[in-house]
Amino acid sequence: SFSECTAGDEGGGMYVFENGDVSLDGASFSECTAEWGGGMYVDNSGDVALESARFVECTSGTQAALYLNGIERLALTNSQFVDNIASQTPAALFFTSRIAASGSLLRSTTFFGNSAPGNI
């Protein structure tokens, strides 16, 4: 559980850079703040699997509570993005893949009350 964490640049609660696969079960990011990825930022890494993750009231000076840049595949299941705030869209999730997003999965995940200009 990550609560009220702050980073000046990336990943208020967690920052992963040029690593292998990332897998978290039940991780919670609450009221975390960063310029990019208020809760979590993963950059140039392998597969990212998040099960029952929660991103609640995270703030990003730029984009997204969960910022995934240049990963391979995303598996996001049974997760929640609630009341996150960003100064640019998207407020909840930003995702780019190095190989193909077609192998990624987003299932039983809720987005509610997230706010950014354009309201995405």
Side-chain angles (χ1 to χ4, degrees), residues 50-53 76-80 105-111:
L50 300 177
E51 170 74 30
S52 301
L76 183 60
T77 55
N78 301 316
S79 297
Q80 298 177 334
L105 170 70
L106 185 66
R107 179 178 48 210
S108 300
T109 295
T110 304
F111 296 85

Side-chain angles (χ1 to χ4, degrees), residues 4-115:
E4 298 180 11
C5 301
T6 301
D9 289 318
E10 292 95 4
M14 179 182 288
Y15 175 62
V16 179
F17 179 68
E18 294 183 349
N19 199 7
D21 296 342
V22 177
S23 180
L24 298 174
D25 189 352
S28 177
F29 298 86
S30 175
E31 298 180 47
C32 294
T33 302
E35 185 64 25
W36 302 86
M40 182 179 181
Y41 187 106
V42 181
D43 193 12
N44 292 317
S45 295
D47 293 348
V48 175
L50 300 177
E51 170 74 30
S52 301
R54 297 192 71 222
F55 292 84
V56 179
E57 295 182 8
C58 292
T59 302
S60 174
T62 306
Q63 293 176 315
L66 173 58
Y67 196 101
L68 306 171
N69 184 50
I71 66 167
E72 291 187 3
R73 282 172 294 275
L74 170 64
L76 183 60
T77 55
N78 301 316
S79 297
Q80 298 177 334
F81 292 82
V82 180
D83 295 333
N84 298 291
I85 298 170
S87 63
Q88 297 176 25
T89 56
L93 172 64
F94 177 89
F95 165 55
T96 64
S97 173
R98 289 184 299 170
I99 57 171
S102 62
S104 293
L105 170 70
L106 185 66
R107 179 178 48 210
S108 300
T109 295
T110 304
F111 296 85
F112 180 79
N114 300 291
S115 176

